[in-house]
Amino acid sequence: MDKMTKPQIEITDPLSFLKEFTAARIAIGSTGSSIPTKQLLEFKLAHAHARDAVYSVMDTEVLEDALAQFHRPVLQLHSRAENRAQYLQRPDLGRKPNEESLNRLADQITGDDIVIIIADGLSAIALNENVLTLLQLLIPKLLDANLKLGPLCLVQQGRVAIGDDIAHELHAKLSLVLIGERPGLSAADSIGAYLTYQPKPGLKDNSRNCISNIRPGGLDLSLAADKIFYLVQEAFRMKLSGIGLKDNEGLLERE
């Protein structure tokens, strides 16, 4: 008589109630000595989405047409990284505009208060899906505050620091870089916003302020626009950015 194979029992993690508060992979349970098949397949799918995001392409033509609603010049720029493979292998090349872009910037010097740089970063999907809505919420706030807005720059194969060079070339007082963030296994569509007061080539990360995880399933786009606007106002008031500029919005003042 053949022995009956004992069925494997799926064990539910006692911390599973925490899943309603986060999209992170926690409390996924177990089956025998492994994780349940459903959770394993979800992990592999998320990993595939993350890889797709890294190699996604910013839809510059569609974005340029959509940005026309803001009645500002739109500049198509490119870093010194010629392609995606070089961009991933040589981060330094993604931090500098190429010669053609520098020539294009030289024709647009206006000395504005703010220049907005939209860079593909490590997830062009994030820009394709979310950046227009974010700008529709943010730009009216900037204009209502009488801040002079420069050209809108679309940068391919760009990293955060490229905003320093672009804004410096345009003689802008502040750079705002909206960039696709490194995708994780719970989100591949996040935008990071980096602002720098008095931008110039060679600045370090401590000269910038960052607002991260801007996406419908993370930091709400409306809340992100409010936060960016607050930090921009504080940067102009205090004439600085980076570690010297704190997010004190909503904190009680000491008597």
Side-chain angles (χ1 to χ4, degrees):
M1 181 176 180
D2 295 336
K3 294 182 179 180
M4 298 292 292
T5 302
K6 293 183 179 180
Q8 290 186 319
I9 301 174
E10 182 175 328
I11 302 173
T12 303
D13 195 297
L15 299 178
S16 59
F17 71 94
L18 294 175
K19 296 174 73 172
E20 64 179 291
F21 302 107
T22 178
R25 272 178 177 72
I26 61 172
I28 60 176
S30 63
T31 300
S33 60
S34 184
I35 65 175
T37 301
K38 179 176 182 292
Q39 283 71 21
L40 177 61
L41 293 175
E42 288 175 347
F43 174 86
K44 290 184 175 181
L45 179 61
H47 186 261
H49 285 322
R51 288 177 58 87
D52 288 345
V54 169
Y55 287 95
S56 59
V57 177
M58 185 162 62
D59 199 337
T60 53
E61 293 185 5
V62 172
L63 285 174
E64 182 173 5
D65 290 342
L67 293 174
Q69 64 186 275
F70 301 115
H71 308 292
R72 304 300 308 149
V74 178
L75 302 182
Q76 296 269 7
L77 306 175
H78 205 289
S79 76
R80 294 181 184 177
E82 296 181 2
N83 51 56
R84 201 58 174 172
Q86 192 176 55
Y87 172 85
L88 294 173
Q89 295 170 9
R90 290 285 305 276
D92 57 310
L93 297 180
R95 299 184 184 114
K96 296 288 183 181
N98 63 15
E99 197 65 32
E100 182 180 351
S101 297
L102 289 173
N103 293 334
R104 193 167 297 169
L105 291 168
D107 296 332
Q108 295 287 334
I109 297 174
T110 55
D112 297 299
D113 293 320
I114 302 174
V115 61
I116 296 177
I117 298 99
I118 303 165
D120 48 8
L122 288 168
S123 176
I125 289 176
L127 283 308
N128 294 338
E129 295 183 356
N130 298 320
V131 77
L132 183 61
T133 302
L134 179 60
L135 290 174
Q136 288 171 334
L137 294 165
L138 176 62
I139 287 180
K141 297 177 186 292
L142 300 175
L143 297 179
D144 288 345
N146 295 318
L147 291 169
K148 190 177 179 183
L149 188 63
L152 301 172
C153 302
L154 290 173
V155 182
Q156 296 184 67
Q157 312 299 354
R159 294 186 182 269
V160 172
I162 201 170
D164 296 337
D165 289 61
I166 292 173
H168 182 73
E169 291 292 330
L170 293 173
H171 297 182
K173 298 182 180 70
L174 183 143
S175 69
L176 174 61
V177 178
L178 303 177
I179 190 168
E181 291 187 309
R182 183 187 305 275
L185 291 175
S186 60
D189 60 346
S190 292
I191 293 175
Y194 294 80
L195 65 92
T196 308
Y197 187 77
Q198 296 293 4
K200 60 182 179 181
L203 292 179
K204 304 299 182 183
D205 289 341
N206 63 354
S207 300
R208 307 183 187 96
N209 292 83
C210 172
I211 302 171
S212 185
N213 196 35
I214 302 172
R215 61 187 180 92
L219 178 60
D220 180 78
L221 300 180
S222 179
L223 294 177
D226 290 341
K227 185 62 66 180
I228 294 170
F229 179 60
Y230 166 79
L231 288 175
V232 166
Q233 287 185 303
E234 288 295 283
F236 278 105
R237 182 179 70 84
M238 300 177 67
K239 301 188 184 306
L240 56 80
S241 62
I243 59 175
L245 176 59
K246 306 300 182 183
D247 181 4
N248 295 320
E249 187 178 24
L251 298 182
L252 295 176
E253 295 184 0
R254 295 182 180 179
E255 295 183 356

